[in-house]
Amino acid sequence: MMHLRSVLLVALLSVLSGILHAQAISMGGIHDDIPRFELGANYNYFHANAPPGECGCFSLSGGSGTILMNVTPRWAAVADIAVAHANQVDNTSQNITIVNYLFGARYTRRNSSRFVPYGEALFGGAKEDVNFQFTINRNSFGLAAGGGVSAQLKRRLGVTLAQFDYVYTQIPNAKNDRQNNIRVSTGVTYNFGFK
């Protein structure tokens, strides 16, 4: 856990350092106004499977925040923190809250259209809080891979029209300690770090 905190602190300091020296990225005529940084706020819908092999499938709703730093016109570093919650899973008194903290890279296919498709791969961890007879608090490995489409509304304001991700976690579950989930997101972005 201490190692994870150290990694998160280094990542935060790197982002803050970049913000202080932020400049826009030029593509030589096409979308010359690519911001150095983007902050996102999203609504998330998760479709989760538990227990495995039976599809006691259930849904969770929540939100996420993203910080994106465009390194080149096509490649960006991404931090994604998502929280999702479900009450009375499978008509029981069980409540579940899952937090995913993921970091990785995004590839963006920019062109002359205002609609911008992208794909990303993120790695990190997942944390689950469950209320059985007592609260269980567990951490595990997590990853997400997927993509979506965004659009610019104004110079500083954009929207994530839709994003679809496969989210894999290894939260202990007394069966096989693996979860294969689908996440659908939509939200808004604020862009800064222009010239």
Side-chain angles (χ1 to χ4, degrees), residues 11 14-16 18-19 22-23 25 34-42 65-81 102-110 116-122 150 152 160 163 188-193:
S14 297
V15 169
L16 290 176
I19 289 172
Q23 295 181 5
I25 299 171
I34 298 170
R36 177 62 69 183
F37 292 95
E38 300 175 27
L39 296 177
N42 304 298
T66 57
I67 300 172
L68 181 138
M69 182 175 81
N70 287 303
V71 179
T72 71
R74 301 217 185 272
W75 289 99
V78 180
D80 183 296
I81 312 297
L102 304 168
F103 309 89
R106 176 181 290 184
Y107 177 79
T108 302
R109 180 74 176 115
R110 300 186 194 274
V116 181
Y118 60 87
E120 62 186 19
L122 310 173
S150 64
Q152 281 303 113
T160 300
Q163 179 173 323
V188 295
T189 58
Y190 177 75
N191 309 310
F192 61 100

Side-chain angles (χ1 to χ4, degrees), residues 48-63:
N49 69 327
E54 301 173 16
C55 197
C57 297
F58 62 97
S59 300
L60 302 100
S61 290

Side-chain angles (χ1 to χ4, degrees), residues 17-57:
S17 172
I19 289 172
L20 294 176
H21 298 92
Q23 295 181 5
I25 299 171
S26 175
M27 272 188 79
I30 301 174
H31 292 288
D32 274 338
D33 250 1
I34 298 170
R36 177 62 69 183
F37 292 95
E38 300 175 27
L39 296 177
N42 304 298
Y43 164 77
N44 296 312
Y45 167 83
F46 279 86
H47 183 70
N49 69 327
E54 301 173 16
C55 197
C57 297

